[in-house]
């Protein structure tokens, strides 16, 4: 039996979520509203990860 060749490697967007959370937490601590900025960072990271997933899906 031969395996089908998979030449493309999927892109990972989880890193973007982690960066969004980290940046949001740091901004929130410096600006005095950690939860709001943490949520904003999470939403931005999730949006970026979805964008990466959609672009990768079209390849």
């Amino acid at each position: 039996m031969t395996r089908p060749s998979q030449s493309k490697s999927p892109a990972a967007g989880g890193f973007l979520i982690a960066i969004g959370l980290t940046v949001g937490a740091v901004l929130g601590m410096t600006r005095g509203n950690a939860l709001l900025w943490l949520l904003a960072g999470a939403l931005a990271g999730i949006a970026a990860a979805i964008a990466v997933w959609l672009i990768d899906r079209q390849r």
Side-chain angles (χ1 to χ4, degrees):
M1 240 196 287
T2 61
R3 285 188 178 171
S5 66
Q6 293 182 347
S7 61
K8 74 172 197 166
S9 60
F15 175 74
L16 298 171
I17 297 172
I19 291 296
L21 285 168
T22 304
V23 169
V26 170
L27 283 174
M29 285 188 290
T30 59
R31 297 180 186 211
N33 196 350
L35 183 61
L36 177 69
W37 284 94
L38 184 69
L39 290 175
L43 288 174
I46 290 169
I50 289 173
V52 166
W53 175 68
L54 288 173
I55 290 168
D56 187 50
R57 209 171 140 208
Q58 291 178 351
R59 281 196 299 148

